[in-house]
Amino acid sequence: MATTPVWSVDPRTGKQREQVAVEATPREVDEAVRAAHAARGALADATVRAAFLRTAADLLDEAVAHVIEAADAETALGPGRLTGEVARTGGQLRAFADAVDEGSYLDVRIDRADPSLSPPRPELRRYKVPLGVVAVYAASNFPLAFSVPGGDTASALAAGCPVVVKAHPDHPATSELCASLLRRAAVANGLPAAVVGLVHGFDAGLELIRHPLVAAAGFTGSVRGGRALFDAAAARPVPIPFHGELGSLNPVVVTPAAAAERAEEIGAGLAASVTLGVGQFCVKPGLVLVPDGADGDRLTGALSKALGESGPGVLLDHRMRENFVAGVRERAALPGVEAPVTPGPDGDHTVGAGYLAVRAEDLLAGAGYDVLLEECFGPVTVVVRYAGQDEAGAVLGRLGGNLSATLQLSAAETEGAPGPAAALIGQVTGLAGRIVVNGWPTGVAVAPAQHHGGPYPAATSHSTSVGGTAIERWLRPVAYQSVPDALLPPELREANPLNLPRRVTGDRR
């Protein structure tokens, strides 16, 4: 059978750097999944899992220079950005190790038997068990934190699930390097290397989602690609959970009072958020509601100045560059849409940042403007000038689900009695998984209270892919009724030999 080479490509030039691997055949995908499935039992010991995750973080730190060099060569994201991403990735691994040690993710609940109730209640003990092999689809824009060693992988391993990662074609060499570090960490802790598998190729990704031993999947990418995999996961003879992060516009609403108070600050902050990572963050603000009038003009003036001073940037690959240029051209061609700072090609391999402007009344006039309500991946945003709160609310009412929604409010609006600002928060809560006030959505803290998800199409489930509760995606609850103590899993035995947090007949212990 002919093999298809997998090349590492320099996005700064479009030239091939080296052949990294070959695309996996159906037989090779099957072998990787079966090996991962056979390794499930080795992950049963929570102490070993936690040690494995910490060792992986340590090895990533030790190889930081090599990892950054490889990732920068394939993504052009730059050493500064990638240094932060390595730290974030190691932090995620250690945070999930801590979660495994603490044990509350198992959600242990015990209800004592009570024959006096009507009907009588039997003895019930409940906790969560790992689903099995998890397919992870690596993201293009985060070669570490949302790829091979990223949050999906870390949380699945923490739950006790082996993973098989489908590498992203934009950074195959980085993927191979990181997979080797994870496998070394596994072996160093007495685990089979097969607890982390890696495959390359579009067809391999389809084979992976259809494999009968794959129990769940995590995805970060486009609406089109994610929806195809989501549909494939649902169409299997035995459907599986598919936790996909697909796309997001991340609306921003600037109130008239906020524009009056700090127009220039908001304009400059918006420009920095739009251009961060050359506009390739999944939480880039892509639609900004700015009030009509002189204060709104000052804001857009500051935005124009900051974007005009930003230098050109390299997108992750030339296909994305072509899609960005075409997407901007399609939007700018709509009647009434202006480009005060024109985004688009700048040289043979780079793009310049900019923004498009439209009046809310035009945007609301018909379905032909719906493309402005869709994500355009790259350094561009759409500024919508609105005449009043009702008009702003009508624009928000046209939006689908989002990862984030941001409100720029005045000091008085944040400190005073509930009023229009509270109503705005209520409206955007229905649209997004994270609400930001007087900040910017780019930058997603890895923390227990974080939620990185949202209504469709931002995500295909109500789970988060960032933060401690991301582990819940890879677990399912099991209840044991009237089972003798000696036959119970150690997590549920009366003596609590693992010293796990538990809720007993409603009380925390």
Side-chain angles (χ1 to χ4, degrees):
M1 179 181 292
T3 58
T4 302
V6 174
W7 291 91
S8 173
V9 176
D10 182 350
R12 295 179 174 94
T13 64
K15 295 181 179 179
Q16 294 175 339
R17 298 177 56 249
E18 59 177 332
Q19 182 180 338
V20 173
V22 295
E23 294 187 0
T25 64
R27 181 177 63 81
E28 289 166 337
V29 173
D30 178 64
E31 290 172 351
V33 174
R34 291 187 181 279
H37 183 75
R40 288 173 305 150
L43 287 170
D45 189 319
T47 302
V48 172
R49 292 204 307 276
F52 164 36
L53 292 169
R54 291 191 178 98
T55 302
D58 291 343
L59 291 178
L60 191 63
D61 287 346
E62 291 174 11
V64 61
H66 191 190
V67 170
I68 290 172
E69 180 183 19
D72 182 52
E74 294 186 306
T75 67
L77 289 173
R81 150 71 192 276
L82 291 167
T83 297
E85 193 174 336
V86 172
R88 175 196 178 99
T89 306
Q92 287 181 150
L93 290 162
R94 293 186 177 98
F96 282 114
D98 292 343
V100 172
D101 285 340
E102 192 268 338
S104 62
Y105 71 98
L106 293 170
D107 195 23
V108 176
R109 296 169 182 259
I110 297 172
D111 286 321
R112 305 291 188 199
D114 190 343
S116 69
L117 297 177
S118 181
R121 183 176 65 209
E123 179 89 357
L124 291 167
R125 294 171 182 254
R126 177 186 185 273
Y127 81 136
K128 294 181 179 179
V129 299
L131 292 176
V133 178
V134 171
V136 172
Y137 292 81
S140 63
N141 55 342
F142 282 85
L144 304 167
F146 283 86
S147 293
V148 174
D152 284 351
T153 295
S155 58
L157 292 171
C161 297
V163 300
V164 178
V165 183
K166 189 272 180 188
H168 197 280
D170 279 351
H171 36 78
T174 308
S175 298
E176 286 285 349
L177 172 58
C178 291
S180 71
L181 295 174
L182 290 175
R183 291 174 182 141
R184 280 176 53 197
V187 172
N189 287 279
L191 296 169
V195 296
V196 177
L198 182 68
V199 296
H200 297 267
F202 177 83
D203 290 341
L206 295 176
E207 291 288 337
L208 189 58
I209 199 68
R210 295 168 180 158
H211 197 287
L213 294 181
V214 167
F219 171 90
T220 301
S222 68
V223 173
R224 181 179 178 183
R227 183 55 193 256
L229 290 170
F230 175 71
D231 290 346
R236 292 166 37 126
V238 179
I240 60 172
F242 181 86
H243 299 287
E245 179 197 315
L246 308 188
S248 184
L249 197 60
N250 307 299
V252 178
V253 181
V254 183
T255 66
E261 188 174 87
R262 48 192 178 86
E264 289 80 10
E265 176 188 332
I266 294 172
L270 173 59
S273 188
V274 168
T275 57
L276 187 64
V278 201
Q280 297 172 112
F281 276 44
C282 51
V283 285
K284 179 203 73 178
L287 184 85
V288 187
L289 286 155
V290 174
D292 281 341
D295 295 324
D297 292 344
R298 288 194 297 120
L299 191 157
T300 56
L303 173 64
S304 296
K305 181 176 185 295
L307 290 176
E309 293 172 351
S310 66
V314 178
L315 295 182
L316 291 161
D317 62 39
H318 280 59
R319 176 185 58 83
M320 290 184 186
R321 183 178 184 272
E322 291 167 3
N323 289 342
F324 170 71
V325 171
V328 169
R329 184 185 302 118
E330 178 186 11
R331 289 161 173 80
L334 293 169
V337 175
E338 299 177 348
V341 180
T342 304
D346 186 328
D348 293 335
H349 306 286
T350 56
V351 296
Y355 75 99
L356 306 176
V358 65
R359 294 196 57 77
E361 61 184 357
D362 291 334
L363 179 61
L364 295 168
Y369 290 84
D370 284 351
V371 68
L372 295 175
L373 306 179
E374 299 173 2
E375 180 183 25
C376 186
F377 199 67
V380 63
T381 192
V382 176
V383 171
V384 181
R385 301 299 295 269
Y386 70 92
Q389 187 172 348
D390 289 346
E391 204 169 59
V395 173
L396 292 175
R398 291 275 298 274
L399 303 184
N402 289 271
L403 294 170
S404 73
T406 298
L407 303 181
Q408 296 292 340
L409 307 176
S410 69
E413 288 171 319
T414 62
E415 298 169 1
L424 265 178
I425 287 182
Q427 184 171 13
V428 298
T429 296
L431 296 176
R434 179 167 58 107
I435 313 304
V436 181
V437 171
N438 291 350
W440 297 104
T442 40
V444 183
V446 180
Q450 185 59 270
H451 186 82
H452 190 60
Y456 186 85
T460 59
S461 72
H462 298 304
S463 302
T464 179
S465 61
V466 177
T469 55
I471 194 173
E472 296 173 0
R473 298 174 294 170
W474 322 120
L475 298 161
R476 66 177 180 87
V478 178
Y480 294 79
Q481 179 175 324
S482 304
V483 175
D485 194 72
L487 300 181
L488 287 168
E491 292 86 351
L492 296 179
R493 290 176 189 164
E494 185 65 24
N496 195 9
L498 303 181
N499 195 32
L500 294 170
R502 48 174 58 179
R503 188 185 296 271
V504 180
T505 316
D507 295 329
R508 289 188 182 275
R509 298 290 176 88

